[in-house]
Amino acid sequence: MRTVLRLKRLMPEVMWTVWGNRSCSNSSIRRLESNTSILKHLISKITATGPISVAEYMREALTNPVSGYYVKNDMLGAGGDFITSPEISQIFGELLGVWCVSEWMAAGKSSVFQLVELGPGRGSLASDILRVFSQLKAVLGETDISVHLVEVSPKLSQLQAKCLTGDQTWTCNDDQPVYRSGTTCTGLPIYWYHRIEDVPRGFSVFLAHEFFDALPIHKFQRTEKGWREVMVDIDPESPEKLRFVVSHSPTLASSMLIQGFKGHQLHNVLEAPGMADLTADVDFSYLRKITGNQVTCLGPITQRSFLKNMGIDSRLQVLLRSCHDPSTRAQLINSYDMLINPEKMGHRFQFFSVLSRGRLAQRKGMQKDTAPLPVAGFAELNVQ
């Protein structure tokens, strides 16, 4: 009940204004012509040292410092290779902004509040969250809020800077933990890092939207001789192409290891490396296992359930009541459907939360013990 009241308190203070353009970049996306630089690099590497792991292949294709997919491309949006929930609807980021403030309140209203995002894309999610923070100044008070972005792509960091600061940032020496810094359009300090280890310690809310699925993974396949790692090797019948093989075995590996996307269509993951997105399903049970007993894990739950619990239905109705343009109303309804429809993003995408063990510990009150506050979004809450 207290979480319900907390969300009810936050929701009315957020101005649910329709923001028509979900792209933070005003220019159209420039598509790079396909090139073979990474493919030639991989073939040379395999020729010299032998087959490489799937993880190494993904690392080279996605984050090679010269021609990696994430390093050189702006891949998001209708003109890119894929689209994410924050790009589809402003409601997604605004509800996460309310969630962040709700968790800050439930955790004791720390005087320091670091918003940390891993792989921030174009900055759309952070932009929507910061707009909510600005509208909830009365709740946040004099809290020392700062923004910290972990981004390896020079291209995307430039787009994020333009989106979040109006491109008013300063670059730093590469040997420094912070390689870019500035002030957001809402007046908050913002910093960019290549490594999560460089983010300062302090009360933080970490967001990783469509981040873990792009991390390099090792894949294994069961054979008659037990489990063997899947490797990437040169196709002997076509030396300019690559194929999946099972290590120490003549067996060809399954091609359904990871997925590639280019132009919003499935793409052969071994074709034109560096020119398409690569993604793998996240094993949340593994994430839960490796955290051990140091933290408390919630979920995973479907994106549909989380957004419903956060009050997406009532938020949509507020926006529709204030919008009279037929095309914009249709866009709001269609984007809502894309986010929560089980056949679209509703069940395909999931939410998983990692909390400090103290967050859900029973609190000691002056007169009696106080039950911990539930975590918004991970339980059915009435926020109408």
Side-chain angles (χ1 to χ4, degrees), residues 71-303:
V71 174
K72 293 295 183 181
N73 294 320
D74 174 13
M75 69 295 296
L76 292 164
D81 296 319
F82 61 93
I83 193 166
T84 61
S85 296
E87 300 286 334
I88 290 174
S89 173
Q90 68 183 69
I91 304 178
F92 183 88
E94 290 170 340
L95 288 178
L96 277 181
V98 172
W99 184 89
C100 290
V101 176
S102 173
E103 274 305 293
W104 167 79
M105 295 172 64
K109 298 184 179 181
S110 170
S111 60
V112 175
F113 185 168
Q114 296 187 158
L115 176 68
V116 185
E117 186 175 1
L118 312 181
R122 286 177 171 175
S124 298
L125 177 58
S127 177
D128 289 336
I129 290 174
L130 293 181
R131 187 168 62 252
V132 170
F133 283 9
S134 180
Q135 294 168 359
L136 292 176
K137 283 183 178 180
V139 177
L140 292 165
E142 298 300 319
T143 306
D144 181 11
I145 304 175
S146 55
V147 183
H148 305 263
L149 306 181
V150 179
E151 179 59 74
V152 300
S153 169
K155 176 68 174 180
L156 289 178
S157 70
Q158 292 173 2
L159 293 175
Q160 294 154 14
K162 186 173 183 178
C163 173
L164 298 171
T165 73
D167 212 14
Q168 299 300 310
T169 60
W170 299 267
T171 56
C172 309
N173 295 331
D174 290 338
D175 59 349
Q176 299 296 318
V178 175
Y179 69 85
R180 183 190 295 271
S181 63
T183 303
T184 70
C185 298
T186 57
L188 301 177
I190 183 170
Y191 309 93
W192 279 260
Y193 312 82
H194 288 117
R195 307 188 317 149
I196 189 174
E197 295 88 348
D198 293 328
V199 177
R201 291 184 176 274
F203 178 85
S204 304
V205 173
F206 286 80
L207 301 175
H209 183 257
E210 296 203 35
F211 175 78
F212 288 105
D213 66 301
L215 295 180
I217 60 169
H218 291 271
K219 296 293 289 187
F220 296 85
Q221 184 168 315
R222 185 187 293 276
T223 69
E224 294 181 354
K225 296 183 179 181
W227 288 100
R228 294 288 187 270
E229 184 168 10
V230 175
M231 310 292 282
V232 176
D233 198 1
I234 299 172
D235 188 339
E237 297 182 0
S238 184
E240 73 282 0
K241 294 184 178 181
L242 302 173
R243 66 173 185 171
F244 288 119
V245 298
V246 177
S247 62
H248 307 295
S249 169
T251 307
L252 290 178
S254 167
S255 60
M256 296 304 291
L257 301 170
I258 52 179
Q259 288 186 317
F261 288 92
K262 183 176 177 63
H264 300 274
Q265 301 294 325
L266 284 173
H267 177 82
N268 185 336
V269 298
L270 294 179
E271 182 180 326
M275 297 306 299
D277 184 38
L278 302 180
T279 179
D281 287 342
V282 177
D283 186 349
F284 288 104
S285 64
Y286 177 72
L287 290 179
R288 182 185 291 272
K289 180 179 179 181
I290 63 174
T291 59
N293 60 359
Q294 302 301 311
V295 296
T296 297
C297 298
L298 296 179
I301 64 172
T302 65
Q303 176 168 291

